Every structure is written in C-alpha cells, then in structure tokens.
Amino acid sequence: MEDCRRLAERCGYVVADCYVDDDVSAWSGTTRPEFERMLDDLQARRIGAVLAWHLDRLTRHPRELEAFIDLCDRLRVKLGCVTSDVDIGTHIGRLTARMLGGLARYESDHKSERIRRKHEEIAAKGRASGGGSRPYGYEADKLTVRPAEAAIVNECARRLLAGEPVRSIAADLNKRAVPSATGGRWSPQSLRRMLASPRISGQRVHHGEIVAKAVWPAIISSKEGATIRALLANPERRTNRAARRYLLTGLLVCGHCGERLVARPRTGGKRRYACAKGPGFSGCGKIYINADDVERFVTAAVLIRLDSSALQRALEQRQRRAPDAQRWLQEAEQAQAQLAELAEAYGQREFSIVEWKAARKPIEQRLTHARRQLAKVSRTSVLDRYIGNGAGLRADWDSLDLSQQHAIVAAVVDSVVVGPARRGYNRFDESRLTPVWRP
Ligand SMILES: [Zn+2]
C-alpha cells in the first residue's frame, strides 16, 4: 500500500480509494469483494486509474486478466504497477501482462502440487506435520514425550479399556484440575479425540488413515490404540445427551402404537417422556408421561424384583444358557490384534489402501459380532453384585451414575408399556404402567 501511494504521488494521481482483499486467495475461486467494488467504481467512472503492487496482486487468473484488460480498454483506464512497468494500453504491455499472469498461475499450481507431495512424503516417513497445536502428551516439538501428560494418557487409556465412560473420565480430570493441552478443561469430545488419536500409539495418520510408524515415541502400544479406537467406534457405547438425563430412554413403549417413547421436556423444562410424532419420529403423539413419576416407580419395581428369588432363578438359568464370555472376549481380542497387525503392515507399505480396507472388513464384522455377544453377557454381569441383595442396591442406588442405573434397569426390564392417561385424573397413575421383565 505504501509503495502504491508513492507511485500515485509520482504519477500525480489523487488516491480516491484503496481496495484490499485480505486473506482471500484469488486462486481459491472465492469472490473478492474489494476487487468487485473496484470494478464497480471503474464502471461508474469514479476512478480513472488503477495502481497495483504487482499484476498478480490484481488478477491472478488469465480469465480475470482478459476481462480486466477489456474493461480498461473500454473505459480508457490507466494501469500502473510498482514492480513492473506495464502499460496495457500498448500491445507489448498486454503481452507482458498476459505472460506475467500466466506465469503466476503456473507458479501457484506448481506450488500447491509441490506442497501436496511434500506433505505426503512427510507422512509416509512418519514425521510430524508442521503447524497445528501441541499434541497432548508431547512437547511443542511434537516429538519429545512430556512425562506428566504421558502418565495421564496411560491412566485414561487404562480406565477406558476397563469400561469407564469417556465423560466420567473427563469429569474426573477436571475435578483433579488436570489441564488439557491448551491449558483448559477437558470435554468428553476432546478426551475422546485424544484417546482415539493414533499419534499416542506412535502412528502417523495422513488424510484420516494410518500410513506409517511415526518417528516420535509411542505412549501406549499400537494394540491398545487399536482397541481404544474399536471401543470408541462401537455404536452401542454411544449415549446421547437425552439418555444421560433420562433414566428410562429406550425402555418405555407407547401403549397406543408400540413406538419407544423419547425424552420430550415440557416447555419450561419439566422432564417428560413422549411418543413423538413429526419429522424423524414415527410415534402417534398421543402418550405423554411425567419423567420423575415413572422413573421413581420403575426404580422401586426393579429394586423389589432384584430381591425376589424368581429373578435369581431366572438369572441362573440364563447364565447357563448365556454364551461363553471368555470365548467371545478371546474372539474380540484376536480380531483387534489382527486389525492392529494389518495397520502395521499397511504402515510399512506392504499393500495398498484398497487392499487394506478389503482385508479389514471381515475382521471388523467378526469383532462386531463378538462384541454383541459380550454385551449380552455383560448385561447380566452388572447385576451379579446385587442379586438377592436388593437392600445393598437400594443403599448404593443414589451414588450410582445415570448410565450405571440405566444398565441395571435395562438388565432387569425389557420394557415398560405406558398406557393412556385417564381423563380428569391428575395424580400419578401407576395402573398406566406395565413392566415387561426380562425372561
Ligand atoms: Zn404412540
């Protein structure tokens, strides 16, 4: 801008306006609002000359340059550049301008190609990419392990693998004032991202795929990393926000149409379950029930049920019929190990990404199946401590978090059918509720 002002002074021009498109690359195809404004001003004859630092600052695309030359011709606009003496009023000036423009285009294309290849090469060698923020567990050089944070990474990985939910681990870190990489608090999302990142197991990712063994040291093993990613990718683990605040999400069934009720607070925030109708829902919209009431009732019923000898007998029977937990655990571990081996082989460039994806598929299917079987077994294992000990569970109940409470209720109750409300009956009406106990 300084240079252009000086040039204007030398040419004896009065500076009418300055047009600056900051941070907008003329290459990316996005519009340049200031450039457009300048064209408007030219057309309106508010300005009679344009000065630029270099032609490639003015137009960076040959098409744009041609249009601009046409416009200048038509309006007899003078063009000046600080760095070159181009007069597009002459043939030789135009030729120079076109050549400069073409050259700039070539350089830009060439540069982005070069950069892309450079990034690929860096990734394939397992080296860290430049830029970005400091990864958790490592120093700013992205290579040196920061021991205090590495200990936290290990702790979190161990707790996650032991079955603790991500959000509970994040809450605990915040309670202990353990800062994240940026010095802030942990969110379940940021903790999940950190734990799922192949970086902490010393693997280099490029465009979302593990491409090489990294040059930096691993904090957890690649097998642990693969297990964590498989665990976090398991949709059965995922709980939505509503499920966390609503004990019975997925367990209540509409007595009218048979759809599952969903959390639907009243305007004003009073918690409520409803048979939802409308976009994305397939319910009838006829059944609503106050959440506090139904949760209190179902909890009480579950606690009584857990004390009954009938449940104990039923569980023992099921235990006998239940698939062998050890077998499925082994199956899951084998599949995970194979996935890790595959990733490693791929990292060493033993086969292509397409082959890798094809090889992964059957193993992932086996893993999913094994997990489902395991989930069936673990649904009852959450109860082991409490069978025949309803009093113990009653004492512990309030100290359990909602996901634990939900797991216990879901282990005992298949569903609770919610019938229509009686007209004119305002109090809680337990005759509306019919629990369906698990066999
Ligand atoms: Zn319904």
Side-chain angles (χ1 to χ4, degrees):
M1 194 77 82
E2 263 314 302
D3 290 343
C4 287
R5 281 183 193 284
R6 238 171 279 143
L7 179 62
E9 215 170 288
R10 272 209 310 280
C11 300
Y13 295 156
V14 177
V15 178
D17 213 333
C18 299
Y19 306 86
V20 183
D21 281 312
D22 260 334
D23 300 326
V24 183
S25 166
W27 295 118
S28 62
T30 52
T31 56
R32 293 192 297 161
E34 285 291 285
F35 184 74
E36 301 292 324
R37 189 166 72 84
M38 185 186 74
L39 294 182
D40 287 347
D41 284 351
L42 279 170
Q43 243 140 8
R45 298 183 185 277
R46 276 192 284 273
I47 49 180
V50 173
L51 300 181
W53 192 79
H54 191 278
L55 260 186
D56 67 7
R57 300 297 169 98
L58 186 65
T59 67
R60 293 200 195 172
H61 200 286
R63 266 200 311 275
E64 225 174 43
L65 179 68
E66 290 306 320
F68 189 71
I69 288 176
D70 282 351
L71 186 71
C72 291
D73 264 1
R74 207 147 40 78
L75 302 171
R76 300 185 178 282
V77 168
K78 291 193 181 64
L79 176 69
C81 287
V82 174
T83 50
S84 59
D85 215 0
V86 180
D87 179 3
I88 57 168
T90 67
H91 284 292
I92 188 77
R94 282 173 206 211
L95 183 65
T96 315
R98 286 184 181 117
M99 277 170 57
L100 284 173
L103 196 64
R105 177 86 212 167
Y106 167 77
E107 272 178 357
S108 173
D109 284 348
H110 190 60
K111 199 169 134 202
S112 51
E113 168 72 8
R114 231 170 39 225
I115 290 170
R116 193 179 61 73
R117 272 158 59 178
K118 189 77 199 160
H119 280 304
E120 248 167 34
E121 190 193 324
I122 288 172
K125 284 183 178 157
R127 282 163 51 205
S129 63
S133 49
R134 179 179 73 81
Y136 192 79
Y138 296 85
E139 299 293 345
D141 64 6
K142 297 184 175 182
L143 301 173
T144 317
V145 171
R146 190 178 275 204
E149 290 187 353
I152 296 290
V153 171
N154 265 310
E155 180 199 320
C156 292
R158 231 179 30 249
R159 287 169 69 173
L160 186 78
L161 290 171
E164 190 170 347
V166 176
R167 79 196 130 77
S168 134
I169 304 173
D172 179 56
L173 291 180
N174 290 332
K175 207 160 74 192
R176 283 155 53 197
V178 176
S180 70
T182 52
R185 290 168 62 81
W186 291 95
S187 67
Q189 292 75 24
S190 64
L191 184 60
R192 182 188 296 267
R193 223 171 13 250
M194 187 274 277
L195 287 170
S197 160
R199 159 167 263 284
I200 56 171
S201 50
Q203 288 163 305
R204 176 63 153 92
V205 169
H206 190 54
H207 292 313
E209 302 283 359
I210 295 170
V211 293
K213 190 176 179 316
V215 293
W216 58 83
I219 297 174
I220 62 173
S221 76
S222 60
K223 191 178 161 190
E224 282 170 320
T227 312
I228 286 174
R229 276 189 296 285
L231 205 64
L232 291 175
N234 184 1
E236 278 162 40
R237 255 188 87 85
R238 263 181 223 146
T239 49
N240 57 33
R241 191 167 285 280
R244 268 177 259 142
R245 285 193 53 226
Y246 287 79
L247 176 65
L248 302 176
T249 305
L251 292 176
L252 301 181
V253 171
C254 174
H256 242 297
C257 67
E259 271 300 310
R260 302 264 156 183
L261 302 194
V262 298
R264 250 310 147 80
R266 249 178 237 279
T267 39
K270 199 163 172 54
R271 297 190 317 118
R272 192 175 59 162
Y273 295 93
C275 181
K277 199 168 111 174
F281 297 100
S282 45
C284 64
K286 287 179 181 156
I287 297 282
Y288 293 90
I289 193 159
N290 179 306
D292 292 338
D293 291 338
V294 66
E295 284 170 5
R296 206 176 311 118
F297 172 83
V298 171
T299 302
V302 163
L303 293 176
I304 291 166
R305 175 95 177 155
L306 275 173
D307 244 353
S308 80
S309 50
L311 175 71
Q312 184 138 17
R313 272 199 308 278
L315 270 174
E316 278 164 6
Q317 233 174 38
R318 202 144 70 100
Q319 214 79 306
R320 267 198 303 276
R321 271 185 289 137
D324 182 5
Q326 200 52 39
R327 195 182 116 217
W328 292 117
L329 194 63
Q330 258 173 18
E331 174 83 13
E333 275 172 359
Q334 271 171 11
Q336 277 157 2
Q338 281 178 354
L339 285 178
E341 273 167 32
L342 264 182
E344 206 154 299
Y346 176 69
Q348 277 146 17
R349 303 239 143 175
E350 285 172 25
F351 41 76
S352 76
I353 196 155
V354 179
E355 290 170 312
W356 181 34
K357 280 181 176 161
R360 255 184 346 189
K361 205 162 205 163
I363 305 177
E364 279 169 349
Q365 279 165 354
R366 256 176 50 219
L367 187 60
T368 309
H369 180 66
R371 276 223 193 83
R372 286 222 179 94
Q373 299 302 321
L374 263 176
K376 269 191 202 160
V377 184
S378 61
R379 199 156 51 211
T380 55
S381 69
V382 62
L383 285 173
D384 286 351
R385 281 162 57 203
Y386 295 116
I387 295 167
N389 182 16
L393 179 58
R394 214 165 293 143
D396 287 357
W397 188 259
D398 288 332
S399 67
L400 300 176
D401 70 27
L402 209 51
S403 57
Q404 288 169 314
Q405 291 177 345
H406 178 88
I408 287 170
V409 173
V412 183
V413 180
D414 179 75
S415 58
V416 178
V417 180
V418 183
R422 265 189 281 169
R423 197 174 281 278
Y425 193 82
N426 286 327
R427 278 165 297 139
F428 173 58
D429 176 9
E430 61 175 68
S431 72
R432 290 178 66 193
L433 303 174
T434 316
V436 180
W437 304 106
R438 284 193 180 276

